[in-house]
Amino acid sequence: MKQIRDYFRHGEKVQQLIQEQRKQRSPGRSLGAPGLNCLVLGGGGREYAIAWRLARCDSVATIDVVPGNAGVALFSRVIDFSPHDVGRLQQHLAASAIDLAIVGPDELIAEGLGDHLRRASVAVVAPSKEAAKIEWSKTFAKELMTEAHVPTPRWETFTTPEQARNALDRNKWAAPLVVKADGLAAGKGVTICRTLEEALMTLATPPTNSGRVVFEEVLEGEEASLQALVDGETVVALPPARDHKRVGDGDIGPNTGGMGASSPTTVLPDEDAQRVADELITPIARALVARGTPFRGVIFAGLIRTTSGFKVLEYNARFGDPEAQVTLPRIGGDFAKLMVALGEGRLKEYVAQNPLRLSQRAFVDVVLCAEGYPGSPRVGDRIEGLDALPDGVYGFHGATASTPTGGFITTGGRVMHIVAGGSNIAEARDRAYQGAERVTFTGKFYRSDIAGSGVAVA
Ligand code: GLY
Protein backbone atom coordinates (compact mmCIF):
# COMPACT_ATOMS: atom_id res chain seq x y z
CA MET A 1 0.00 0.00 0.00
CA LYS A 2 2.83 2.36 0.90
CA GLN A 3 4.31 1.83 -2.55
CA ILE A 4 0.99 2.66 -4.18
CA ARG A 5 0.63 5.83 -2.09
CA ASP A 6 4.20 6.88 -2.89
CA TYR A 7 3.58 6.31 -6.56
CA PHE A 8 0.54 8.51 -6.68
CA ARG A 9 2.09 11.21 -4.49
CA HIS A 10 5.08 11.22 -6.79
CA GLY A 11 2.72 11.26 -9.78
CA GLU A 12 1.06 14.48 -8.56
CA LYS A 13 4.43 16.14 -8.10
CA VAL A 14 5.47 15.16 -11.59
CA GLN A 15 2.28 16.64 -13.00
CA GLN A 16 2.86 19.96 -11.26
CA LEU A 17 6.40 19.99 -12.57
CA ILE A 18 5.19 19.28 -16.09
CA GLN A 19 2.78 22.22 -15.98
CA GLU A 20 5.41 24.60 -14.56
CA GLN A 21 8.10 23.57 -17.00
CA ARG A 22 5.75 23.87 -19.95
CA LYS A 23 4.91 27.42 -18.95
CA GLN A 24 8.57 28.37 -18.62
CA ARG A 25 9.97 26.89 -21.76
CA SER A 26 7.04 27.64 -24.03
CA PRO A 27 5.13 30.66 -22.75
CA GLY A 28 3.15 30.95 -25.95
CA ARG A 29 1.77 27.49 -25.39
CA SER A 30 1.12 27.58 -21.69
CA LEU A 31 -2.27 26.73 -20.26
CA GLY A 32 -3.33 24.51 -23.09
CA ALA A 33 -3.00 26.82 -26.11
CA PRO A 34 -2.33 26.69 -28.99
CA GLY A 35 -1.80 22.95 -29.10
CA LEU A 36 0.28 19.92 -28.24
CA ASN A 37 3.79 19.28 -29.49
CA CYS A 38 4.07 15.54 -29.97
CA LEU A 39 7.07 13.27 -30.42
CA VAL A 40 6.86 9.72 -31.75
CA LEU A 41 9.93 7.52 -31.34
CA GLY A 42 10.56 4.78 -33.86
CA GLY A 43 10.61 4.48 -37.61
CA GLY A 44 8.29 1.73 -38.83
CA GLY A 45 4.67 1.21 -39.79
CA ARG A 46 3.44 1.30 -36.20
CA GLU A 47 5.03 4.71 -35.63
CA TYR A 48 3.56 5.91 -38.93
CA ALA A 49 0.13 4.82 -37.64
CA ILE A 50 0.63 6.65 -34.32
CA ALA A 51 1.69 9.86 -36.09
CA TRP A 52 -1.16 9.47 -38.62
CA ARG A 53 -3.69 9.20 -35.80
CA LEU A 54 -2.18 12.17 -33.91
CA ALA A 55 -2.37 14.23 -37.11
CA ARG A 56 -6.15 13.80 -36.99
CA CYS A 57 -6.52 15.48 -33.58
CA ASP A 58 -7.61 19.11 -33.15
CA SER A 59 -5.46 19.40 -30.02
CA VAL A 60 -2.19 18.70 -31.89
CA ALA A 61 0.03 21.57 -33.05
CA THR A 62 3.17 19.71 -34.19
CA ILE A 63 4.35 16.13 -34.67
CA ASP A 64 8.03 15.12 -34.67
CA VAL A 65 9.14 11.58 -35.46
CA VAL A 66 12.61 10.25 -34.58
CA PRO A 67 14.07 8.66 -36.65
CA GLY A 68 10.89 8.23 -38.72
CA ASN A 69 10.92 7.28 -42.38
CA ALA A 70 10.40 8.96 -45.73
CA GLY A 71 6.63 8.45 -45.72
CA VAL A 72 5.90 9.86 -42.30
CA ALA A 73 7.95 12.92 -43.33
CA LEU A 74 5.14 13.81 -45.74
CA PHE A 75 2.98 15.02 -42.85
CA SER A 76 5.27 15.39 -39.84
CA ARG A 77 8.78 16.63 -39.03
CA VAL A 78 11.24 13.76 -39.25
CA ILE A 79 14.48 14.31 -37.39
CA ASP A 80 17.11 11.82 -38.31
CA PHE A 81 19.06 11.00 -35.20
CA SER A 82 19.21 7.81 -33.21
CA PRO A 83 16.53 7.61 -30.50
CA HIS A 84 19.13 5.68 -28.49
CA ASP A 85 21.02 8.98 -28.13
CA VAL A 86 19.43 10.09 -24.87
CA GLY A 87 21.43 13.33 -24.62
CA ARG A 88 20.33 14.45 -28.09
CA LEU A 89 16.78 13.43 -27.28
CA GLN A 90 16.72 15.51 -24.11
CA GLN A 91 17.96 18.55 -26.05
CA HIS A 92 15.21 17.99 -28.56
CA LEU A 93 12.50 17.73 -25.87
CA ALA A 94 13.49 21.10 -24.48
CA ALA A 95 14.18 22.88 -27.77
CA SER A 96 10.90 21.77 -29.33
CA ALA A 97 8.80 22.16 -26.17
CA ILE A 98 7.55 18.59 -26.46
CA ASP A 99 4.39 17.90 -24.45
CA LEU A 100 3.76 14.26 -25.34
CA ALA A 101 6.18 11.45 -26.25
CA ILE A 102 5.02 8.03 -27.45
CA VAL A 103 7.62 5.27 -27.75
CA GLY A 104 6.96 2.58 -30.36
CA PRO A 105 9.67 -0.11 -30.52
CA ASP A 106 10.25 -2.73 -27.84
CA GLU A 107 14.03 -2.29 -27.74
CA LEU A 108 13.75 1.43 -26.90
CA ILE A 109 11.32 0.66 -24.10
CA ALA A 110 13.48 -2.23 -22.83
CA GLU A 111 16.52 0.02 -22.57
CA GLY A 112 14.60 2.44 -20.34
CA LEU A 113 13.76 5.30 -22.71
CA GLY A 114 10.44 5.73 -20.87
CA ASP A 115 12.38 6.51 -17.67
CA HIS A 116 14.68 9.02 -19.41
CA LEU A 117 11.76 10.85 -21.00
CA ARG A 118 9.77 11.00 -17.77
CA ARG A 119 12.73 12.63 -16.04
CA ALA A 120 12.40 15.43 -18.60
CA SER A 121 8.84 16.07 -17.36
CA VAL A 122 7.11 15.16 -20.58
CA ALA A 123 3.85 13.17 -20.72
CA VAL A 124 5.25 9.78 -21.73
CA VAL A 125 3.44 6.78 -23.17
CA ALA A 126 5.99 4.07 -22.37
CA PRO A 127 6.49 2.08 -19.20
CA SER A 128 9.59 2.13 -17.03
CA LYS A 129 12.31 -0.38 -17.85
CA GLU A 130 11.32 -2.42 -14.79
CA ALA A 131 7.62 -2.55 -15.68
CA ALA A 132 8.52 -3.40 -19.29
CA LYS A 133 10.14 -6.58 -18.03
CA ILE A 134 6.83 -8.29 -18.86
CA GLU A 135 8.08 -8.10 -22.46
CA TRP A 136 11.85 -8.32 -22.27
CA SER A 137 11.88 -11.39 -20.00
CA LYS A 138 9.50 -14.19 -20.94
CA THR A 139 10.40 -15.90 -17.67
CA PHE A 140 9.40 -12.85 -15.63
CA ALA A 141 6.10 -12.63 -17.53
CA LYS A 142 5.36 -16.29 -16.84
CA GLU A 143 6.24 -15.90 -13.14
CA LEU A 144 3.95 -12.90 -12.87
CA MET A 145 1.12 -14.75 -14.60
CA THR A 146 1.49 -17.65 -12.19
CA GLU A 147 1.53 -15.26 -9.21
CA ALA A 148 -1.51 -13.35 -10.50
CA HIS A 149 -3.44 -16.52 -11.50
CA VAL A 150 -3.62 -15.54 -15.16
CA PRO A 151 -4.19 -18.61 -17.35
CA THR A 152 -1.20 -19.36 -19.57
CA PRO A 153 0.12 -22.52 -21.26
CA ARG A 154 2.32 -24.82 -19.10
CA TRP A 155 5.93 -23.63 -19.16
CA GLU A 156 9.45 -24.14 -17.85
CA THR A 157 12.53 -21.93 -18.02
CA PHE A 158 16.09 -23.17 -18.57
CA THR A 159 19.16 -21.09 -17.80
CA THR A 160 20.99 -22.38 -20.88
CA PRO A 161 20.09 -24.15 -24.14
CA GLU A 162 22.09 -27.19 -22.84
CA GLN A 163 19.73 -27.53 -19.88
CA ALA A 164 16.78 -27.30 -22.26
CA ARG A 165 18.32 -30.07 -24.43
CA ASN A 166 18.70 -32.21 -21.31
CA ALA A 167 15.01 -31.88 -20.57
CA LEU A 168 14.30 -33.24 -24.05
CA ASP A 169 16.85 -36.08 -23.62
CA ARG A 170 15.20 -37.11 -20.36
CA ASN A 171 11.74 -37.00 -21.97
CA LYS A 172 10.72 -34.35 -19.46
CA TRP A 173 9.46 -32.39 -22.46
CA ALA A 174 8.45 -33.84 -25.82
CA ALA A 175 7.39 -32.46 -29.19
CA PRO A 176 5.23 -30.72 -30.09
CA LEU A 177 6.37 -27.80 -27.95
CA VAL A 178 7.05 -24.08 -28.23
CA VAL A 179 10.65 -22.91 -27.81
CA LYS A 180 11.05 -19.24 -26.86
CA ALA A 181 14.08 -17.03 -26.40
CA ASP A 182 13.75 -15.33 -23.01
CA GLY A 183 14.65 -11.86 -24.31
CA LEU A 184 13.58 -9.61 -27.19
CA ALA A 185 14.02 -11.10 -30.66
CA ALA A 186 12.20 -8.82 -33.13
CA GLY A 187 9.23 -11.19 -33.38
CA LYS A 188 11.54 -14.08 -34.29
CA GLY A 189 12.15 -15.63 -30.85
CA VAL A 190 9.21 -18.04 -30.83
CA THR A 191 9.27 -21.37 -32.68
CA ILE A 192 6.57 -24.00 -32.66
CA CYS A 193 8.48 -27.28 -32.92
CA ARG A 194 6.42 -30.20 -34.21
CA THR A 195 9.25 -32.76 -33.91
CA LEU A 196 12.18 -33.46 -31.58
CA GLU A 197 14.58 -32.72 -34.46
CA GLU A 198 12.99 -29.31 -34.96
CA ALA A 199 13.33 -28.55 -31.24
CA LEU A 200 17.01 -29.54 -31.25
CA MET A 201 17.66 -27.50 -34.37
CA THR A 202 15.91 -24.49 -32.83
CA LEU A 203 18.08 -24.77 -29.70
CA ALA A 204 21.15 -24.72 -31.93
CA THR A 205 20.10 -21.63 -33.92
CA PRO A 206 19.90 -17.94 -32.93
CA PRO A 207 18.19 -16.47 -30.99
CA THR A 208 17.57 -19.59 -28.83
CA ASN A 209 21.15 -20.94 -28.91
CA SER A 210 22.29 -18.64 -26.11
CA GLY A 211 20.87 -17.27 -22.89
CA ARG A 212 17.71 -18.40 -21.15
CA VAL A 213 15.17 -20.50 -22.99
CA VAL A 214 11.50 -21.09 -22.20
CA PHE A 215 9.58 -24.22 -23.18
CA GLU A 216 5.82 -23.95 -23.46
CA GLU A 217 3.08 -26.44 -24.29
CA VAL A 218 1.39 -26.08 -27.68
CA LEU A 219 -2.29 -25.22 -27.46
CA GLU A 220 -4.78 -25.42 -30.28
CA GLY A 221 -7.05 -22.44 -30.82
CA GLU A 222 -7.42 -19.13 -32.58
CA GLU A 223 -5.30 -16.18 -31.58
CA ALA A 224 -6.25 -12.57 -30.87
CA SER A 225 -4.30 -9.47 -29.90
CA LEU A 226 -5.66 -7.35 -27.08
CA GLN A 227 -4.06 -3.96 -26.39
CA ALA A 228 -5.01 -1.88 -23.35
CA LEU A 229 -4.02 1.51 -21.99
CA VAL A 230 -2.63 0.89 -18.52
CA ASP A 231 -2.01 3.53 -15.86
CA GLY A 232 -1.23 1.89 -12.54
CA GLU A 233 -4.34 -0.20 -11.83
CA THR A 234 -6.50 1.52 -14.46
CA VAL A 235 -6.90 -0.65 -17.56
CA VAL A 236 -8.81 0.55 -20.65
CA ALA A 237 -9.18 -2.00 -23.44
CA LEU A 238 -8.65 -0.96 -27.05
CA PRO A 239 -10.40 -2.76 -29.92
CA PRO A 240 -9.03 -6.29 -30.34
CA ALA A 241 -7.26 -7.34 -33.52
CA ARG A 242 -5.86 -10.37 -35.23
CA ASP A 243 -2.39 -10.56 -36.70
CA HIS A 244 -0.61 -12.97 -39.01
CA LYS A 245 2.92 -13.76 -37.91
CA ARG A 246 4.12 -16.47 -40.31
CA VAL A 247 5.58 -15.43 -43.61
CA GLY A 248 3.49 -17.70 -45.85
CA ASP A 249 -0.18 -18.18 -46.72
CA GLY A 250 -1.87 -20.74 -44.49
CA ASP A 251 0.47 -19.81 -41.62
CA ILE A 252 3.53 -21.58 -42.91
CA GLY A 253 7.19 -20.63 -42.80
CA PRO A 254 9.17 -18.64 -40.25
CA ASN A 255 7.78 -16.00 -37.93
CA THR A 256 8.04 -12.35 -38.97
CA GLY A 257 7.40 -8.98 -37.39
CA GLY A 258 3.84 -9.35 -38.74
CA MET A 259 2.48 -9.85 -42.28
CA GLY A 260 -0.90 -8.19 -41.76
CA ALA A 261 -3.72 -7.58 -39.32
CA SER A 262 -7.42 -6.86 -39.05
CA SER A 263 -9.84 -5.37 -36.54
CA PRO A 264 -12.49 -6.15 -35.35
CA THR A 265 -12.10 -9.88 -34.93
CA THR A 266 -14.70 -12.53 -34.25
CA VAL A 267 -12.17 -14.36 -32.05
CA LEU A 268 -12.55 -11.57 -29.47
CA PRO A 269 -15.40 -9.16 -30.33
CA ASP A 270 -15.13 -5.50 -29.29
CA GLU A 271 -17.90 -5.88 -26.72
CA ASP A 272 -15.92 -8.52 -24.79
CA ALA A 273 -12.60 -6.66 -24.82
CA GLN A 274 -12.91 -4.83 -21.48
CA ARG A 275 -14.09 -7.96 -19.66
CA VAL A 276 -11.19 -10.01 -21.01
CA ALA A 277 -8.73 -7.19 -20.22
CA ASP A 278 -10.11 -7.11 -16.66
CA GLU A 279 -9.42 -10.84 -16.39
CA LEU A 280 -6.07 -11.09 -18.16
CA ILE A 281 -4.38 -7.67 -18.01
CA THR A 282 -5.67 -6.03 -14.80
CA PRO A 283 -4.16 -8.73 -12.52
CA ILE A 284 -0.76 -8.07 -14.12
CA ALA A 285 -1.18 -4.30 -13.76
CA ARG A 286 -2.03 -4.83 -10.08
CA ALA A 287 0.90 -7.18 -9.54
CA LEU A 288 3.27 -4.57 -11.01
CA VAL A 289 1.84 -1.85 -8.74
CA ALA A 290 2.25 -4.17 -5.74
CA ARG A 291 5.91 -4.69 -6.68
CA GLY A 292 6.47 -0.94 -6.75
CA THR A 293 6.93 -0.88 -10.54
CA PRO A 294 3.59 0.46 -11.83
CA PHE A 295 3.02 0.33 -15.56
CA ARG A 296 2.14 3.44 -17.57
CA GLY A 297 1.71 2.80 -21.27
CA VAL A 298 0.20 0.07 -23.44
CA ILE A 299 0.04 -3.60 -22.49
CA PHE A 300 -0.48 -5.92 -25.41
CA ALA A 301 -1.65 -9.43 -24.57
CA GLY A 302 -1.21 -12.14 -27.20
CA LEU A 303 -4.15 -14.48 -26.52
CA ILE A 304 -5.24 -17.92 -27.62
CA ARG A 305 -8.89 -18.99 -27.38
CA THR A 306 -9.01 -22.59 -26.16
CA THR A 307 -11.95 -24.80 -25.25
CA SER A 308 -11.43 -23.69 -21.65
CA GLY A 309 -11.31 -19.95 -22.43
CA PHE A 310 -8.61 -17.43 -23.29
CA LYS A 311 -5.02 -17.98 -22.21
CA VAL A 312 -2.14 -15.51 -22.43
CA LEU A 313 0.76 -16.47 -24.71
CA GLU A 314 2.78 -13.30 -24.12
CA TYR A 315 2.68 -9.71 -23.01
CA ASN A 316 4.25 -6.81 -24.85
CA ALA A 317 4.85 -3.40 -23.29
CA ARG A 318 3.79 -1.26 -26.28
CA PHE A 319 1.38 -0.92 -29.18
CA GLY A 320 1.43 -3.96 -31.45
CA ASP A 321 2.85 -3.84 -34.95
CA PRO A 322 0.81 -4.29 -37.19
CA GLU A 323 -2.07 -4.15 -34.68
CA ALA A 324 -1.69 -0.38 -34.19
CA GLN A 325 -2.20 0.12 -37.93
CA VAL A 326 -5.75 -1.36 -37.76
CA THR A 327 -6.83 -0.33 -34.25
CA LEU A 328 -5.73 3.31 -33.98
CA PRO A 329 -7.93 4.32 -36.97
CA ARG A 330 -10.88 2.85 -35.01
CA ILE A 331 -10.38 5.01 -31.92
CA GLY A 332 -12.70 8.02 -31.90
CA GLY A 333 -12.32 11.33 -30.07
CA ASP A 334 -9.10 13.24 -29.47
CA PHE A 335 -6.48 10.50 -29.35
CA ALA A 336 -3.71 12.97 -28.43
CA LYS A 337 -5.57 14.15 -25.33
CA LEU A 338 -6.16 10.52 -24.38
CA MET A 339 -2.42 9.84 -24.71
CA VAL A 340 -1.50 12.92 -22.65
CA ALA A 341 -3.91 11.81 -19.91
CA LEU A 342 -2.28 8.37 -19.92
CA GLY A 343 1.22 9.85 -19.95
CA GLU A 344 0.44 12.19 -17.06
CA GLY A 345 -1.18 9.48 -14.93
CA ARG A 346 -4.75 10.83 -15.32
CA LEU A 347 -6.24 8.03 -17.41
CA LYS A 348 -8.98 7.07 -14.94
CA GLU A 349 -10.32 10.62 -14.59
CA TYR A 350 -10.00 11.28 -18.33
CA VAL A 351 -11.96 8.23 -19.49
CA ALA A 352 -14.60 8.83 -16.81
CA GLN A 353 -15.29 12.16 -18.53
CA ASN A 354 -14.46 11.08 -22.08
CA PRO A 355 -15.41 7.41 -22.50
CA LEU A 356 -13.52 5.68 -25.29
CA ARG A 357 -15.53 5.74 -28.52
CA LEU A 358 -14.84 3.14 -31.20
CA SER A 359 -15.62 3.37 -34.87
CA GLN A 360 -17.72 0.46 -36.15
CA ARG A 361 -15.69 0.46 -39.36
CA ALA A 362 -13.37 -2.49 -39.96
CA PHE A 363 -9.70 -2.06 -40.92
CA VAL A 364 -7.30 -4.44 -42.64
CA ASP A 365 -3.54 -4.08 -43.12
CA VAL A 366 -1.72 -6.06 -45.82
CA VAL A 367 2.05 -5.75 -45.46
CA LEU A 368 4.12 -5.47 -48.64
CA CYS A 369 7.48 -7.12 -48.01
CA ALA A 370 10.82 -7.14 -49.81
CA GLU A 371 12.23 -10.33 -51.29
CA GLY A 372 14.37 -12.19 -48.75
CA TYR A 373 12.34 -11.10 -45.69
CA PRO A 374 12.39 -12.28 -42.87
CA GLY A 375 16.01 -13.14 -43.67
CA SER A 376 18.08 -10.48 -45.43
CA PRO A 377 15.70 -8.39 -47.54
CA ARG A 378 16.78 -6.76 -50.78
CA VAL A 379 16.76 -2.97 -50.49
CA GLY A 380 17.04 0.07 -52.75
CA ASP A 381 14.16 -0.79 -55.08
CA ARG A 382 12.01 2.02 -56.40
CA ILE A 383 8.40 2.04 -55.16
CA GLU A 384 5.73 2.92 -57.74
CA GLY A 385 1.97 3.28 -57.65
CA LEU A 386 1.42 5.06 -54.35
CA ASP A 387 -0.46 7.80 -56.19
CA ALA A 388 -2.79 5.13 -57.65
CA LEU A 389 -4.14 3.99 -54.27
CA PRO A 390 -7.95 4.14 -54.21
CA ASP A 391 -9.51 6.86 -52.01
CA GLY A 392 -9.46 5.88 -48.37
CA VAL A 393 -6.74 3.25 -48.88
CA TYR A 394 -3.51 4.30 -47.21
CA GLY A 395 0.13 3.39 -47.65
CA PHE A 396 1.58 3.47 -44.13
CA HIS A 397 5.33 3.46 -44.79
CA GLY A 398 7.36 0.90 -42.87
CA ALA A 399 10.83 0.92 -44.41
CA THR A 400 11.35 3.58 -47.07
CA ALA A 401 13.69 6.41 -47.99
CA SER A 402 13.17 9.22 -50.45
CA THR A 403 15.37 9.62 -53.50
CA PRO A 404 17.04 12.86 -54.62
CA THR A 405 14.88 12.83 -57.72
CA GLY A 406 11.64 12.35 -55.79
CA GLY A 407 9.76 9.15 -54.99
CA PHE A 408 10.65 6.38 -52.59
CA ILE A 409 12.90 3.33 -52.38
CA THR A 410 12.76 0.28 -50.12
CA THR A 411 15.09 0.17 -47.08
CA GLY A 412 14.00 -2.95 -45.19
CA GLY A 413 11.82 -6.05 -45.04
CA ARG A 414 8.35 -4.73 -44.18
CA VAL A 415 8.24 -1.92 -46.70
CA MET A 416 4.65 -0.69 -46.74
CA HIS A 417 1.40 -1.37 -44.89
CA ILE A 418 -1.61 -1.06 -47.14
CA VAL A 419 -4.37 -0.09 -44.71
CA ALA A 420 -8.01 0.14 -45.74
CA GLY A 421 -11.31 0.64 -43.96
CA GLY A 422 -14.71 -0.74 -44.85
CA SER A 423 -18.15 -1.29 -43.41
CA ASN A 424 -17.06 -4.85 -42.59
CA ILE A 425 -13.91 -6.98 -42.77
CA ALA A 426 -14.72 -8.33 -46.23
CA GLU A 427 -14.98 -4.83 -47.69
CA ALA A 428 -11.87 -3.57 -45.91
CA ARG A 429 -9.94 -6.64 -47.04
CA ASP A 430 -10.97 -6.24 -50.71
CA ARG A 431 -9.93 -2.60 -50.67
CA ALA A 432 -6.60 -3.35 -48.95
CA TYR A 433 -5.82 -5.99 -51.60
CA GLN A 434 -6.75 -3.58 -54.42
CA GLY A 435 -4.18 -1.22 -52.94
CA ALA A 436 -1.61 -3.99 -52.46
CA GLU A 437 -1.76 -4.79 -56.18
CA ARG A 438 -1.30 -1.18 -57.26
CA VAL A 439 1.85 -0.44 -55.25
CA THR A 440 4.83 -2.13 -56.90
CA PHE A 441 8.55 -2.64 -56.40
CA THR A 442 10.94 -5.33 -57.55
CA GLY A 443 10.79 -8.35 -55.28
CA LYS A 444 7.49 -7.33 -53.63
CA PHE A 445 5.53 -10.11 -51.95
CA TYR A 446 2.63 -10.31 -49.54
CA ARG A 447 0.31 -12.88 -48.01
CA SER A 448 -2.95 -13.36 -49.87
CA ASP A 449 -4.96 -14.60 -46.88
CA ILE A 450 -4.86 -11.69 -44.44
CA ALA A 451 -8.16 -11.44 -42.54
CA GLY A 452 -9.22 -14.51 -44.50
CA SER A 453 -11.31 -16.45 -42.07
CA GLY A 454 -13.03 -13.31 -40.77
CA VAL A 455 -14.62 -12.56 -44.13
CA ALA A 456 -17.74 -14.64 -43.83
CA VAL A 457 -18.68 -13.59 -40.33
CA ALA A 458 -17.48 -10.08 -39.57
N1 GLY B 1 2.16 -8.24 -33.64
C1 GLY B 1 2.85 -8.65 -32.48
C2 GLY B 1 3.73 -7.64 -31.88
O1 GLY B 1 3.63 -6.46 -32.11
O2 GLY B 1 4.60 -8.03 -31.12
Side-chain angles (χ1 to χ4, degrees):
M1 282 308 286
K2 178 172 180 312
Q3 278 158 338
I4 299 176
R5 279 199 305 273
D6 283 346
Y7 167 61
F8 283 110
R9 243 197 318 261
H10 183 63
E12 277 167 25
K13 265 200 224 141
V14 169
Q15 268 185 49
Q16 268 174 16
L17 199 67
I18 291 172
Q19 303 299 345
E20 281 163 19
Q21 293 208 353
R22 266 193 211 142
K23 266 196 219 167
Q24 281 168 16
R25 71 190 175 200
S26 176
R29 292 185 185 282
S30 62
L31 303 176
L36 295 165
N37 295 325
C38 305
L39 172 65
V40 180
L41 291 153
R46 166 186 44 209
E47 290 74 33
Y48 187 108
I50 294 169
W52 181 92
R53 186 63 191 81
L54 288 172
R56 279 150 184 77
C57 299
D58 290 341
S59 64
V60 169
T62 65
I63 304 170
D64 293 345
V65 189
V66 175
N69 62 43
V72 79
L74 295 174
F75 64 91
S76 60
R77 180 169 65 151
V78 161
I79 307 154
D80 189 13
F81 68 88
S82 166
H84 299 275
D85 183 346
V86 174
R88 176 79 175 79
L89 202 51
Q90 274 163 350
Q91 277 172 11
H92 181 74
L93 297 176
S96 299
I98 297 298
D99 300 296
L100 167 68
I102 304 178
V103 187
D106 49 7
E107 80 269 13
L108 293 180
I109 291 174
E111 65 189 45
L113 204 60
D115 300 295
H116 290 299
L117 292 165
R118 240 182 300 280
R119 279 198 282 277
S121 302
V122 167
V124 181
V125 177
S128 66
K129 178 174 180 171
E130 272 312 299
K133 198 168 178 184
I134 59 167
E135 175 161 16
W136 57 260
S137 170
K138 305 294 171 229
T139 304
F140 176 75
K142 286 288 198 181
E143 284 168 358
L144 214 55
M145 283 188 254
T146 306
E147 178 186 317
H149 305 290
V150 170
T152 187
R154 188 171 72 85
W155 61 281
E156 185 171 354
T157 293
F158 304 93
T159 316
T160 62
E162 291 70 39
Q163 286 184 5
R165 258 192 300 274
N166 268 338
L168 291 170
D169 289 345
R170 288 183 287 115
N171 288 330
K172 204 171 162 222
W173 280 85
L177 83 166
V178 183
V179 178
K180 290 185 174 181
D182 186 66
L184 299 180
K188 295 166 197 164
V190 177
T191 311
I192 299 172
C193 303
R194 297 277 164 203
T195 63
L196 177 64
E197 291 67 36
E198 243 183 299
L200 291 172
M201 170 87 85
T202 302
L203 288 171
T205 317
T208 29
N209 64 344
S210 65
R212 283 206 285 193
V213 174
V214 179
F215 279 176
E216 189 181 78
E217 72 177 312
V218 175
L219 294 181
E220 297 303 330
E222 289 200 88
E223 293 187 19
S225 304
L226 178 58
Q227 302 162 106
L229 308 180
V230 177
D231 178 13
E233 297 195 3
T234 304
V235 173
V236 178
L238 299 181
R242 189 171 155 222
D243 79 336
H244 301 263
K245 296 189 180 72
R246 302 291 197 102
V247 73
D249 282 0
D251 279 334
I252 55 162
N255 268 342
T256 67
M259 298 296 292
S262 54
S263 177
T265 167
T266 51
V267 180
L268 176 53
D270 288 356
E271 53 273 25
D272 295 338
Q274 188 62 49
R275 177 184 56 76
V276 174
D278 289 342
E279 288 168 13
L280 302 181
I281 296 180
T282 303
I284 294 302
R286 289 200 176 126
L288 289 170
V289 170
R291 284 172 177 240
T293 55
F295 193 102
R296 189 178 286 170
V298 178
I299 293 186
F300 167 129
L303 306 178
I304 183 160
R305 188 178 61 183
T306 70
T307 47
S308 56
F310 282 104
K311 295 192 179 191
V312 176
L313 299 175
E314 63 174 4
Y315 291 113
N316 296 324
R318 53 176 171 78
F319 285 114
D321 187 348
E323 286 83 349
Q325 287 86 317
V326 292
T327 53
L328 299 192
R330 298 194 59 218
I331 298 176
D334 195 314
F335 176 68
K337 286 188 180 167
L338 177 67
M339 291 295 101
V340 171
L342 170 60
E344 291 184 345
R346 296 184 287 108
L347 182 65
K348 189 172 180 181
E349 297 77 6
Y350 186 83
V351 292
Q353 285 165 11
N354 307 274
L356 199 64
R357 284 189 287 114
L358 297 187
S359 155
Q360 291 311 303
R361 281 177 76 71
F363 281 82
V364 169
D365 171 8
V366 175
V367 184
L368 307 184
C369 297
E371 186 182 311
Y373 181 75
S376 302
R378 54 179 284 158
V379 294
D381 291 304
R382 195 172 175 84
I383 302 167
E384 309 281 359
L386 281 168
D387 48 0
L389 284 174
D391 272 354
V393 179
Y394 306 99
F396 284 10
H397 292 230
T400 63
S402 47
T403 67
T405 53
F408 301 102
I409 54 166
T410 62
T411 58
R414 293 194 305 149
V415 174
M416 185 79 58
H417 299 253
I418 305 296
V419 176
S423 53
N424 54 35
I425 288 282
E427 191 179 292
R429 178 181 192 272
D430 285 351
R431 303 187 72 230
Y433 275 107
Q434 277 169 28
E437 279 164 30
R438 291 190 196 178
V439 176
T440 58
F441 51 89
T442 306
K444 172 187 92 169
F445 77 95
Y446 53 92
R447 273 182 65 161
S448 67
D449 60 352
I450 301 300
S453 62
V455 170
V457 282

